Amino acid sequence: MMVVSLAGSPSQRSRSGVLLDAAGDWLQRHGVEVVRYAVRDFEPADLIHARFDSPAVQRFAEHVEQADGLLVATPVYKASFAGVLKTLLDLLPERALANKAVLPLASGGSAAHMLTLDYALKPVLAALKAQEILQGVYAVDQQIAYAEGNQPARLEDELRERLEAAASQLFAALARCPRPLDPQLLNDRLANARWSI
Ligand SMILES: Cc1cc2nc3c(=O)[nH]c(=O)nc-3n(C[C@H](O)[C@H](O)[C@H](O)COP(=O)(O)O)c2cc1C
């Protein structure tokens, strides 16, 4: 099984990125291949000018197409998810998340915006036809301490438990969202099958 992980923060030191890494690491420890992307990896001009034909954007879209699921993390900006993340999601094909399970994650300065995932990000994931959108995890900044020097980033115990439960729900959902058979592969198999009655 393969999952694309997408970090939606423009910041290099990113708290939502810490959430994403913790969930991605959990999945890896359970045998899932995690292909990691960050909006910061893309050329700003590709995003601002909506360059669907940019090789980096196309590579990302191909990885998403091949994936069984998506892990996506965002900071809360102005009561919504980060605009730069939207510029990248806008470049995905219309049904990019069909047959995929998605786990959304967000960090914000205040608990007042804990519904951001529900009213802002999830409708966009639904518009991309995600098969299963999990409840998601919202954390406030005080619950996440950045990595310093050789020290790993630290999450409050309660948050780590919520994240691990959410990652295990994604793991279970991946099995419920089987990848459709490639029609060409199916044709080849039928054409080359040896039939006996
Ligand atoms: C431009 C900007 C706007 C923000 N707007 C909000 C907001 O509306 N509500 C909120 O709870 N936090 C807000 N925050 C705080 C961030 O969501 C929070 O610090 C988050 O953890 C940052 O995630 P990151 O480190 O992954 O970028 C804002 C931060 C910035 C820089």
Side-chain angles (χ1 to χ4, degrees):
M1 282 187 289
M2 190 271 271
V3 160
V4 165
S5 131
L6 176 58
S9 175
S11 302
Q12 190 170 19
R13 269 162 54 100
S14 161
R15 285 194 163 92
S16 57
V18 173
L19 300 179
L20 190 71
D21 287 344
D25 292 349
W26 189 97
L27 290 169
Q28 269 182 336
R29 287 199 300 278
H30 289 78
V32 178
E33 181 191 356
V34 179
V35 178
R36 298 181 196 237
Y37 279 91
V39 288
R40 293 170 47 85
D41 297 338
F42 292 84
E43 282 297 324
D46 287 351
L47 302 180
I48 294 299
H49 298 293
R51 288 182 183 143
F52 292 86
D53 58 351
S54 140
V57 169
Q58 288 187 343
R59 199 173 326 112
F60 171 67
E62 278 164 25
H63 262 135
V64 171
E65 189 187 346
Q66 290 158 13
D68 301 284
L70 176 72
L71 259 180
V72 55
T74 180
V76 179
Y77 275 8
K78 304 289 187 281
S80 186
F81 66 99
V84 65
L85 174 59
K86 181 69 161 55
T87 62
L88 180 58
L89 295 177
D90 287 348
L91 299 182
L92 287 173
E94 211 180 332
R95 298 180 56 81
L97 298 180
N99 305 304
K100 297 181 205 312
V102 184
L103 175 60
L105 309 169
S107 65
S110 135
H113 287 143
M114 66 186 301
L115 291 179
T116 299
L117 286 177
D118 295 305
Y119 64 66
L121 183 56
K122 286 185 184 179
V124 176
L125 301 172
L128 290 167
K129 304 291 184 283
Q131 177 159 326
E132 192 168 342
I133 304 172
L134 297 165
Q135 191 188 353
V137 174
Y138 183 86
V140 289
D141 287 352
Q142 294 93 316
Q143 297 180 292
I144 309 166
Y146 294 119
E148 298 289 353
N150 292 330
Q151 300 297 313
R154 285 209 337 275
L155 303 174
E156 270 185 6
D157 290 345
E158 177 271 338
L159 173 59
R160 184 169 291 283
E161 277 168 26
R162 277 196 292 137
L163 260 180
E164 293 188 351
S168 77
Q169 282 160 13
L170 177 61
F171 187 68
L174 295 175
R176 290 194 292 271
C177 300
R179 244 183 271 186
L181 263 183
D182 175 1
Q184 187 56 49
L185 183 70
L186 194 57
N187 279 345
D188 292 348
R189 289 209 179 142
L190 286 172
N192 297 323
R194 295 201 190 137
W195 302 97
S196 64
I197 301 172

